[in-house]
Amino acid sequence: MNEFQFENKHVDAFEEKSQMKMIFGKLGKVFASSIVALGLVAVMPMRAQAEDGYELWLRHARMDPEAAAFPTGFMLDCETNSPTLNIISDELQSAFMAMTGSELVRHDKLEDGTLILSSTQCSGSLQSDLEAVESDEGYIIRSENGEEIGHTLIGAKTDIGLLYGVFDYLRQVASEADLTKLDITQAPAIDLRVLNHWDDLNGHVERGFSGESIWDWFRMPDYMSPRYTDYARANASVGINGTVLTNVNADATVLTPRYLEKVAALADVFRPYGIKVYLTARFSAPMELDGLETADPRNSDVQEWWKTKADEIYEYIPDFGGFLVKANSEGQPGPQDYDRDHAEGANMLADAVAPNGGVVMWRAFVYSAEEPDDRVKQAYDEFVPLDGKFRDNVLVQSKNGPLDFQPREPIHPLFGGMEKTPVMLELQLTKEYLGFSTHLAYLGPMWEEVLDTDTHVKKEDASVADIVDGKTFNHKLSGIAGVANIGRDRNWAGSIFDQANWYAFGRLAWNPKLSSSSIAEEWIDQTFDLSNAGEETVLSMMMGSREAVVDYMTPLGLTHLMGTGHHYGPGPWVDDLGRADWNPYYYHRATADEIGFDRTKTGSNALAQYAKPLRKKWSNLETVPDNLLLWFHRVGWDYEMKSGLTLWQEMVRHYDRGVDAVAKMQSDWLNLEGEIDAERYQQISDFLGIQHKEAKWWRDASLAYWMSINGLELPEGSAQPEHSLEYYKALSFPFAPGQTQ
Amino acid sequence: MNEFQFENKHVDAFEEKSQMKMIFGKLGKVFASSIVALGLVAVMPMRAQAEDGYELWLRHARMDPEAAAFPTGFMLDCETNSPTLNIISDELQSAFMAMTGSELVRHDKLEDGTLILSSTQCSGSLQSDLEAVESDEGYIIRSENGEEIGHTLIGAKTDIGLLYGVFDYLRQVASEADLTKLDITQAPAIDLRVLNHWDDLNGHVERGFSGESIWDWFRMPDYMSPRYTDYARANASVGINGTVLTNVNADATVLTPRYLEKVAALADVFRPYGIKVYLTARFSAPMELDGLETADPRNSDVQEWWKTKADEIYEYIPDFGGFLVKANSEGQPGPQDYDRDHAEGANMLADAVAPNGGVVMWRAFVYSAEEPDDRVKQAYDEFVPLDGKFRDNVLVQSKNGPLDFQPREPIHPLFGGMEKTPVMLELQLTKEYLGFSTHLAYLGPMWEEVLDTDTHVKKEDASVADIVDGKTFNHKLSGIAGVANIGRDRNWAGSIFDQANWYAFGRLAWNPKLSSSSIAEEWIDQTFDLSNAGEETVLSMMMGSREAVVDYMTPLGLTHLMGTGHHYGPGPWVDDLGRADWNPYYYHRATADEIGFDRTKTGSNALAQYAKPLRKKWSNLETVPDNLLLWFHRVGWDYEMKSGLTLWQEMVRHYDRGVDAVAKMQSDWLNLEGEIDAERYQQISDFLGIQHKEAKWWRDASLAYWMSINGLELPEGSAQPEHSLEYYKALSFPFAPGQTQ
């Protein structure tokens, strides 16, 4: 086959695609999708071969040949070879084949439009500039336009850096940048950019809403699904460089040779994509696996056990990243079982992995066996006194807020609260508390809100982003973790829009100062083929979606009102669980007169954990933002809000606004029919239907409950709840997905 | 777009495909599969878009345009419309587009080569012949060649019959039959051709080895995955007309309105494909769902509860098929809890569904709480006395053998043992005891062996097939069930070759007299694009594969030697479980001198449950076949076999033969590289690697154990086990898939 044939065929296919779009309107949906399948996918006639989201943001949709000054060919600057360079070369060639329909040929010498890839050893004219790039993972993309010819260089200090550069370059192509005027220097702001898979060894994913675990442990290592490669590729394309394979509620079995062999096989797949493997360490593993009588970190047998185990792991996986540990939280074993503190526990593991360059990520999400006076104060109280006691290769990993991945929380006071310890930020991609995978909630704005929040622990450079990337306190090590939303669903994340959360996590991990809207734009460019108006529509849907969830679930600083256990749907009335802080009631404390949790000096004084400017702002009813009001304050139902409305009126307005926002997303989406391939369009449409039904359920059930407490009427024009409070209370969901096993 | 463009493009694609095959050899595998993805699937560049098995046997691979006298167009004989007719029309058009690259146009009048589809109301010249077809699901395909023009008719009494006819016609095309000389009259021999999904409502599949349940209960009914349609289509293509959605270890929750709404949505998807929905009924549901104090079938409240429940179900699903029930077996509730017998239990449910035409499939797989004198005798002992007591709409569903889906068993004595009751055959597609989804074991020959076995309860027409299809005892109702091997794995069945078991089940359910090798040939034709030699290779792999499993797992009539609980790998030594018949030891009873289970008159006399000719044949050491020897007899290790070898020597020979057969499959498969698309080739290759490793494990562990018992040496030339017996005994598999929850 010569190039001409290839080109020719693809141009035909391109023309046909446009023509087929016109036909869509005339035929039924099913038939239309059959035609797509047939027309473009000659050997695969089944319906599900239509676009189903498997390709994520790496679809490389066909582009107008005139859209950009596509490169005429590419060169690898000198004759080197590595698995990563092979991937780079395949990636470029397959991307351009898909986007332009013609092969990106290899040039022997510089020609007009050559794309030059400068690998490790010889980065050509970029050499000196590259030396100034701080990270080994950084890269430079630069167009150089001479009098005769122009070309573009991508240079990096490492092959992995070059891979990142190539993915960035392809993003520039997709966003129709001027490819003759590129001048990009990039280095990741954060060292460890890691996904946390809460995946159990039996395939269950805790808080997973996109099917079972993608790790098919049973068939590994003899069968390695091609999906693992695709996973690594997708992560590398957004700069993620680590993955914790197992649940923080850990099973020691993964540390046995039978499983380490499987872990090693995954590490082999991931390595050329720059991704390191980490495991969760169950603190009591020495007892469970080898019958030690204690897991006391001061016990020398225990210390020796972990050293030996770490060495064994490094035999299997020479670049093993290290351990993630959840200890003394929600029943997990930990050093406090032996009256030792978190630092002693973390340091023992840190010493075990240090000789091989490993790290320990020690979670600050502690949920002790005793009832606290205020649940949200515990992590700060336990960890701040330990600041300075952790080894250099320990990061303390803290959720963004002090409670638990709620639709909105203030920032966690550990950001800024620990000066001497790198505090790693843990975000949750899987939407445990934001409607699972069937609610559209783009989390970029939430994460931007967190990262941009000024902790005020210093006069400048003290945003959460600055703390996390190490700038504020000059930490050498920095990290960010995202609880993965990935499962075996065909579209990976459970829904198309949940892919955007994976994408945004990677992009923010690389550069926490990016705006969530620019990230959304990038993602839209790569995920759909939309008109400009269509892009605007999707962008506005995404950007408003998280606030809609806050509005219909937990407006005005309310929090943790979800159904018990599964966290599916509303349960603000729940007040009968074994422990006060397990109950939604604990968090709102609504009475006939008042609602909210007083965390000022007159209450739990959790506000004392924040730096003075924040403390002042949030303590004062005049300055606390509406959206955190009931988080920090207890006020009357008739409290006058900034809007002039009473709290109750304002609250109802928020609930109504949340439901209306979802209805608006539904109608917006309807307008995109025909602009989006049938299968993805239909799934999103159906999911918006679910979201609307459930947003209304949230509103109605919540209002029915509040009204039963405060005895107030709904403001005029606001519809009565569809059912009685008893109806909502009686609903049960025995098989809601994602529960802790 | 005009037709010419379409045609033209596809011819291009066809040429390219051939050319690409040549390129495969020159490039690395990964890159080659990228090229395939790019070349043929312009908009979908990711690797996994290569052929991954999703299309099953419905790939409709491109054919040589000269291979057959393809129809020139098609007509629907008169202007009718139904969802099924729309499916037929789409199915034909998409199949021909894929196979020939050109559209199958609709003819307005008869032309040379027209394919005429005669739907319900007007079956044209086939009318009188169709009246002779016994089943409403039957069809006729007939070529009529006049002097001027020839055409082919497909006629049926119902739309569903026509759909079956169209799928048959497409099979004829794929197998390169002469399309101008077709004369086929078909009607299904068995009425109820149903899959049994052992799927729990939480997504777990009991004995499932292909991922979690395809029923995404949580998102139903608001989101109905396109996969449900593809599932229905695949089933219809092989004649399956019913599906039991839930596990026989049943959960009453599926009978609640919230779930019935979901079941109804599935029934709506399946209906146009001729597939009825059934549910498993938990016998104690009246107590669990509505607080009744008993589930006693003689209690009128209980009877009334079931009637009301059945009526409620029919409100949701007017053509609901009925209930499948596992009662008083392995801890499931049932009528014996109230000292009632199975007939009383079944009849109560049968009365509840009878007014709406439903049936009850009552399982004979009973595993009572008391230890039996011989486990395999129980079902016969419990059910034969009840013969004649069941309602007309009850079928007793019996596994093929009296134990539990072992690699080989004699037939179940209930076949022929119950004259007045339709005995439904239950086969297991999911290979619980045959290596899960990673061992290649084509079950067609096993099922053929069962169906062809003469029960000798009558002089003629008394094979198991005759019993099951109702011929032997003139039953009006007949049924066959297959425990589904379907899960959410991309290839549905866990492996490509397990798709053949799904296919073969459907084909044998339609016609239990088909040969397993002809079914395999059909499947190969539709599943791969092989040379004749390649087809022969795959056929011989398939046809020998089940006997290989018998050889390396349970040769010579041995049985149930699998690891406890998960049934993964060998555990012949297990003898410490709570109850004798839970232990592998129970089934072989090996001592230093002897091995085997005496089921003759000197032993348990289970043989008395068979008709005299069988009883005589199997009782006699001279006439019992080697492959059932130790099932029925207890003999010395030095017993002289028909081969002249001792039992021990013969046994070792079987183990060795089993391992060698897998090695042969591996080397045969290697020869097919390049004939098969990369992803499916690689997966099968990897799975054969797993099978070989595990076949050797089975052999080595089993021999190590037998040698520890009989103290014998291995015959010369037979390799020592790789590890010690202690090594094999110490292996544990805490997360083996498919276990009972």
Side-chain angles (χ1 to χ4, degrees), chain B residues 155-358:
Chain B
K157 282 193 265 192
T158 63
D159 290 353
I160 298 299
L162 191 62
L163 178 64
Y164 290 145
V166 166
F167 277 121
D168 190 346
Y169 180 77
L170 292 172
R171 266 201 302 276
Q172 303 301 324
V173 177
S175 60
E176 304 191 8
D178 185 342
L179 301 180
T180 64
K181 289 179 183 156
L182 297 173
D183 191 3
I184 296 169
T185 300
Q186 282 283 326
I190 296 175
D191 303 323
L192 310 180
R193 307 178 297 279
V194 289
L195 287 178
N196 287 184
H197 287 268
W198 287 358
D199 292 17
D200 296 324
L201 298 179
N202 66 359
H204 176 74
V205 182
E206 185 164 331
R207 309 309 172 186
F209 311 107
S210 48
E212 66 186 333
S213 172
I214 52 167
W215 316 131
D216 184 355
W217 291 111
F218 186 68
R219 288 171 178 154
M220 284 194 256
D222 298 298
Y223 174 65
M224 301 301 291
S225 165
R227 192 154 189 167
Y228 307 145
T229 310
D230 293 337
Y231 164 88
R233 174 181 177 241
N235 279 322
S237 78
V238 291
I240 291 168
N241 68 355
T243 179
V244 186
L245 301 175
T246 45
N247 194 348
V248 287
N249 293 323
D251 188 314
T253 310
V254 79
L255 303 177
T256 60
R258 181 157 175 264
Y259 277 83
L260 291 176
E261 201 188 346
K262 300 166 192 273
V263 173
L266 278 177
D268 290 343
V269 173
F270 298 163
R271 191 170 294 110
Y273 289 94
I275 293 165
K276 277 190 183 180
V277 158
Y278 301 75
L279 293 173
T280 48
R282 185 162 165 90
F283 203 78
S284 52
M287 301 165 73
E288 289 153 15
L289 296 185
D290 285 306
L292 272 65
E293 289 187 4
T294 177
D296 183 347
R298 282 199 201 158
N299 180 295
S300 60
D301 288 345
V302 174
Q303 294 165 1
E304 195 53 35
W305 188 92
W306 280 108
K307 280 189 177 148
T308 307
K309 180 54 70 180
D311 289 346
E312 183 189 3
I313 295 173
Y314 281 98
E315 286 285 320
Y316 283 96
I317 310 141
D319 55 353
F320 177 65
F323 293 125
L324 168 64
V325 187
K326 174 177 178 177
N328 293 121
S329 177
E330 300 183 316
Q332 293 297 306
Q336 293 176 346
D337 301 347
Y338 310 95
D339 290 322
R340 316 302 177 204
D341 62 32
H342 286 291
E344 287 182 278
N347 291 344
M348 172 183 63
L349 295 174
D351 290 343
V353 295
N356 287 293

Side-chain angles (χ1 to χ4, degrees), chain A residues 9 39-40 49 55 219 437, chain B residues 9 39 49 55 219 437:
Chain A
K9 187 232 153 181
L40 293 175
Q49 292 294 348
E55 297 76 22
R219 289 170 177 154
S437 58
Chain B
K9 187 233 153 180
Q49 293 293 346
E55 296 78 21
R219 288 171 178 154
S437 59

Side-chain angles (χ1 to χ4, degrees), chain A residues 527-570:
Chain A
T527 301
F528 301 111
D529 309 294
L530 293 166
S531 62
N532 288 344
E535 286 181 1
E536 283 302 316
T537 299
V538 175
L539 182 64
S540 89
M541 289 171 66
M542 288 173 73
M543 292 306 292
S545 58
R546 175 260 188 156
E547 202 61 39
V549 175
V550 173
D551 279 341
Y552 62 71
M553 285 190 186
T554 54
L556 300 174
L558 288 171
T559 198
H560 217 308
L561 305 181
M562 292 75 186
T564 304
H566 47 65
H567 301 156
Y568 172 61

Side-chain angles (χ1 to χ4, degrees), chain A residues 320-350:
Chain A
F320 177 65
F323 294 125
L324 169 63
V325 187
K326 173 177 179 178
N328 294 120
S329 177
E330 299 183 315
Q332 293 297 305
Q336 292 176 346
D337 302 346
Y338 310 96
D339 290 322
R340 317 302 178 205
D341 62 32
H342 286 291
E344 286 182 280
N347 291 343
M348 173 183 64
L349 295 174

Side-chain angles (χ1 to χ4, degrees), chain A residues 1-2 5-6 8-10 12-13 15-17 19-20 22-23 30-31 34-35 38-52 54-56 58-62 89-90 93-95 97-98 201-202 209-212 216 218-219 221-224 226-227 229-231 233-234 251 253 258-259 261 273 436-438 488-490 492-495 568 679 682-683 686-687 689-690 693-694 732-737 741, chain B residues 1-2 5-6 8-10 12-13 15-17 19-20 22-23 30-31 34-35 38-52 54-56 58-62 89-90 93-95 97-98 103 201-202 209-212 216 218-219 221-224 226-227 229-230 233-234 251 253 258-259 261 273 436-438 488-490 492-495 568 679 682-683 686-687 689-690 693-694 732-737 741:
Chain A
M1 169 176 51
N2 61 36
Q5 279 176 306
F6 235 127
N8 196 33
K9 187 232 153 181
H10 282 280
D12 285 351
E15 285 170 10
E16 277 186 18
K17 194 178 161 195
Q19 288 167 318
M20 259 180 272
M22 298 186 303
I23 294 178
V30 173
F31 188 60
S34 301
I35 288 286
L38 287 167
L40 293 175
V41 195
V43 293
M44 305 182 201
M46 248 196 192
R47 187 177 4 267
Q49 292 294 348
E51 280 208 77
D52 53 21
Y54 187 82
E55 297 76 22
L56 297 163
L58 295 164
R59 294 166 61 247
H60 299 310
R62 182 59 59 92
S89 171
D90 288 354
Q93 290 181 301
S94 64
M97 180 65 81
L201 298 178
N202 67 358
F209 311 106
S210 49
E212 66 186 332
D216 184 355
F218 185 68
R219 289 170 177 154
D222 297 299
Y223 175 65
M224 299 302 290
R227 192 153 190 169
T229 309
D230 294 336
Y231 165 87
R233 174 180 176 242
D251 189 316
T253 309
R258 181 155 176 266
Y259 277 83
E261 201 188 346
Y273 289 93
F436 300 0
S437 58
T438 38
R488 239 181 270 187
D489 270 6
R490 182 67 184 160
W492 301 87
S495 78
Y568 172 61
E679 186 170 332
Q682 189 59 47
Q683 190 188 59
D686 291 346
F687 284 7
I690 292 172
K693 197 158 106 176
E694 295 184 352
S732 76
F733 306 95
F735 302 102
Q741 283 198 322
Chain B
M1 166 177 50
N2 61 37
Q5 279 177 306
F6 237 127
N8 195 35
K9 187 233 153 180
H10 281 282
D12 284 352
E15 285 170 9
E16 276 187 18
K17 194 178 161 195
Q19 287 167 318
M20 259 181 268
M22 299 187 302
I23 294 178
V30 172
F31 188 59
S34 302
I35 289 286
L38 287 167
L40 293 175
V41 194
V43 293
M44 306 182 201
M46 249 198 192
R47 185 176 7 266
Q49 293 293 346
E51 280 207 77
D52 54 19
Y54 187 82
E55 296 78 21
L56 297 164
L58 295 164
R59 294 166 61 247
H60 300 310
R62 181 59 59 90
S89 170
D90 287 354
Q93 290 181 301
S94 65
M97 181 64 82
E103 207 178 342
L201 298 179
N202 66 359
F209 311 107
S210 48
E212 66 186 333
D216 184 355
F218 186 68
R219 288 171 178 154
D222 298 298
Y223 174 65
M224 301 301 291
R227 192 154 189 167
T229 310
D230 293 337
R233 174 181 177 241
D251 188 314
T253 310
R258 181 157 175 264
Y259 277 83
E261 201 188 346
Y273 289 94
F436 299 1
S437 59
T438 38
R488 240 182 269 187
D489 270 6
R490 184 67 185 160
W492 301 85
S495 79
Y568 172 61
E679 187 170 331
Q682 189 59 47
Q683 190 188 60
D686 290 347
F687 283 8
I690 292 173
K693 198 159 107 174
E694 295 184 352
S732 76
F733 306 95
F735 302 103
Q741 282 197 322

Side-chain angles (χ1 to χ4, degrees), chain A residues 195-261:
Chain A
L195 287 178
N196 288 184
H197 288 266
W198 287 359
D199 291 17
D200 297 323
L201 298 178
N202 67 358
H204 177 73
V205 181
E206 185 163 332
R207 308 309 171 185
F209 311 106
S210 49
E212 66 186 332
S213 172
I214 51 167
W215 316 132
D216 184 355
W217 291 110
F218 185 68
R219 289 170 177 154
M220 284 194 257
D222 297 299
Y223 175 65
M224 299 302 290
S225 164
R227 192 153 190 169
Y228 306 144
T229 309
D230 294 336
Y231 165 87
R233 174 180 176 242
N235 278 323
S237 77
V238 291
I240 292 167
N241 69 356
T243 179
V244 186
L245 302 174
T246 45
N247 194 349
V248 288
N249 292 324
D251 189 316
T253 309
V254 78
L255 303 176
T256 61
R258 181 155 176 266
Y259 277 83
L260 291 176
E261 201 188 346

